[in-house]
Amino acid sequence: MPYGFTPEHLALAEKVRTFADTVVRPAAYDWDTRRELPLDVIAEMGRMGLFGLPLPPEFGGTGADYTAFCLAVEQIARVDQSLAVTLEAGIGLGAMPVLRFGTEEQKRQWLPSLATGQALAAFGLTEAGSGSDASGTRTTADLVGGEWVLNGSKQFITNSGTPITTLVTITAVTGERTRDDGTRVPELSAFLVPVPSEGLAVGPAYDKVGWHTSDTHPLTLTDVHIPEESLLGERGRGYAYAVTCLDEGRIAFAALCTGAAQGCLEEAIRHSHERQVFGRALEDNQHVAFMIARMQARVHTARLAWVEAARLMDTGVRFKMAASLAKLVGAEAAVANAHDASQIFGGYGFLNENLVARHYRDAKVLEVGEGTTEVQLAVIARELGLTGAGLTRR
């Protein structure tokens, strides 16, 4: 089997690929133009079981492995990165924190609707002054009379303002703690905040360069009261939980990058067959053929990287560096392939109605989302034991 995929993996990939080509691709430009998340398609994806792939059956999921989830993300990303990241973030940043760290009651409360696509959840980590550096978090949570009171703001939060968003996990400062070297650092904890909640305001959607269909908003929390049992996991473990979810999410994000790179490759091959230039097919030009060959090399390398990371995760082996490698390689492959595909299309590659043009716009954020390229390099360097990594352990 290619890349070590099982027959079940390949059947799922074919099923999602067909869905992407027949349902998503024909409508993607319209969604992009109207900047509208198609809730009817989200519901259909839910009925297909895509939002429940890595979730246990007892919570409404299908019990598939993480590799299967990544395969589904990759196939959709070929034709629409926005819809792919809605799925990727809905599970990786929405449902997985509850599954990994929630109580049994919290899991039963939130996961069934998330697993079926009837609801979406978001993860509120990033702030204006604390993107890659979560130690700069300014949002606070104070325990008052048996309730947590949250105040602060978050930004760039995916899936936070849709009509079916029901939950956002918020990281907030709950005090200070002392590290082994004696320095004092903020104590971060994580909280499950229902949507809507009094005092939780969802700001206007961002005017983004790309990912127009993806739902992204800032959030403001003003005296948001939630029950004491809304704490996710242990107090003071919010940073560790966020890192775990980001490490896992980077694998699926790398699969999304690979899907984008694959989509550009497929479009470039098709266009090189069909386009006639100076009386011959574009593919007869050796330079074009070599460009496409390099695009294939990038896709292959990116897929090998995320598959290895997913397999390590599925088998319980440490995967931190593998996840960052996959995300780094995948993002670079997507950006390079989008550039080359747009060049091969010429003027047509500059039209938004063209899939490669949308990939070209969308691909840039792949070097930023779920950890910038520089963060991935720092993680890899630290995992190699290099002192100049630039990240400190909390």
Side-chain angles (χ1 to χ4, degrees):
M1 295 294 174
Y3 303 96
F5 295 142
T6 66
E8 292 77 16
H9 287 147
L10 295 178
L12 172 68
E14 183 60 30
K15 174 184 175 182
V16 180
R17 182 183 181 89
T18 299
F19 168 76
D21 286 341
T22 59
V23 176
V24 180
R25 176 171 178 152
Y29 175 53
D30 182 54
W31 301 334
D32 180 90
T33 302
R34 291 188 282 115
R35 304 195 176 203
E36 178 180 301
L37 182 65
L39 295 181
D40 57 334
V41 176
I42 295 296
E44 186 171 352
M45 291 166 62
R47 290 190 293 270
M48 292 172 64
L50 301 188
F51 281 94
L53 279 170
L55 302 180
E58 59 264 35
F59 301 121
T62 65
D65 58 19
Y66 208 75
T67 300
F69 166 45
C70 292
L71 272 171
V73 171
E74 180 183 323
Q75 290 302 321
I76 293 175
R78 291 170 38 254
V79 299
D80 190 350
Q81 291 185 42
S82 289
L83 201 61
V85 79
T86 301
L87 173 63
E88 185 272 332
I91 295 177
L93 298 178
M96 294 306 282
V98 181
L99 177 66
R100 293 285 184 245
F101 312 114
T103 64
E104 193 69 16
E105 182 178 348
Q106 289 170 338
K107 293 175 186 178
R108 296 197 179 282
Q109 178 181 0
W110 297 111
L111 291 181
S113 60
L114 298 177
T116 56
Q118 296 174 323
L120 288 172
F123 194 95
L125 172 67
T126 304
E127 298 184 6
S130 59
S132 300
D133 180 14
S135 64
T137 297
R138 294 292 178 264
T139 298
T140 60
D142 298 305
L143 190 57
V144 180
E147 290 184 322
W148 290 101
V149 183
L150 279 64
N151 285 278
S153 61
K154 302 291 180 176
Q155 66 176 12
F156 307 140
I157 310 304
T158 303
N159 293 343
S160 58
T162 79
I164 60 172
T165 299
T166 60
L167 173 70
V168 57
T169 299
I170 295 290
T171 55
V173 177
T174 49
E176 285 189 331
R177 67 179 183 86
T178 304
R179 294 195 299 195
D180 294 340
D181 62 3
T183 59
R184 302 286 291 174
V185 295
E187 173 193 80
L188 288 184
S189 302
F191 301 89
L192 300 178
V193 180
V195 179
S197 287
E198 185 174 354
L200 174 64
V202 180
Y206 292 105
D207 183 12
K208 298 172 293 187
V209 171
W211 279 8
H212 289 163
T213 303
S214 171
D215 177 88
T216 320
H217 298 262
L219 301 175
T220 302
L221 300 98
T222 305
D223 290 334
V224 176
H225 290 249
I226 56 176
E228 186 172 358
E229 57 268 24
S230 296
L231 175 71
L232 180 64
E234 301 177 26
R235 176 171 176 165
R237 297 284 293 166
Y239 180 79
Y241 297 161
V243 168
T244 297
C245 292
L246 287 172
D247 284 343
E248 294 182 357
R250 281 167 186 158
I251 303 174
F253 202 91
L256 189 158
C257 295
T258 305
Q262 175 73 39
C264 291
L265 170 65
E266 293 174 7
E267 288 299 291
I269 293 173
R270 178 186 61 78
H271 187 68
S272 72
H273 290 332
E274 298 174 354
R275 176 66 168 165
Q276 295 289 314
V277 180
F278 300 114
R280 60 177 184 170
L282 190 60
E283 65 181 309
D284 290 339
N285 184 310
Q286 187 185 64
H287 175 65
V288 172
F290 282 6
M291 285 178 69
I292 294 175
R294 286 194 179 277
M295 292 171 71
Q296 167 61 22
R298 296 183 193 117
V299 169
H300 179 65
T301 303
R303 187 173 294 119
L304 285 173
W306 81 248
V307 168
E308 179 194 29
R311 186 165 295 122
L312 291 174
M313 179 180 167
D314 282 334
T315 54
V317 178
R318 180 176 172 82
F319 61 87
K320 190 178 189 69
M321 183 163 70
S324 283
L325 283 167
K327 202 272 185 180
L328 173 70
V329 171
E332 291 181 346
V335 169
N337 276 17
H339 174 276
D340 285 355
S342 295
Q343 189 70 16
I344 288 171
F345 268 80
Y348 294 108
F350 201 61
L351 302 179
N352 283 329
E353 66 189 61
N354 193 320
L355 175 57
V356 299
R358 299 197 298 276
H359 274 313
Y360 185 81
R361 288 181 345 217
D362 292 346
K364 178 55 195 172
V365 76
L366 301 177
E367 296 181 310
V368 176
E370 294 207 26
T372 63
T373 293
E374 291 72 25
V375 165
Q376 308 316 314
L377 292 169
V379 170
I380 295 165
R382 188 176 68 186
E383 289 294 299
L384 293 172
L386 302 176
T387 56
L391 289 180
T392 57
R393 298 184 183 274
R394 287 177 54 84

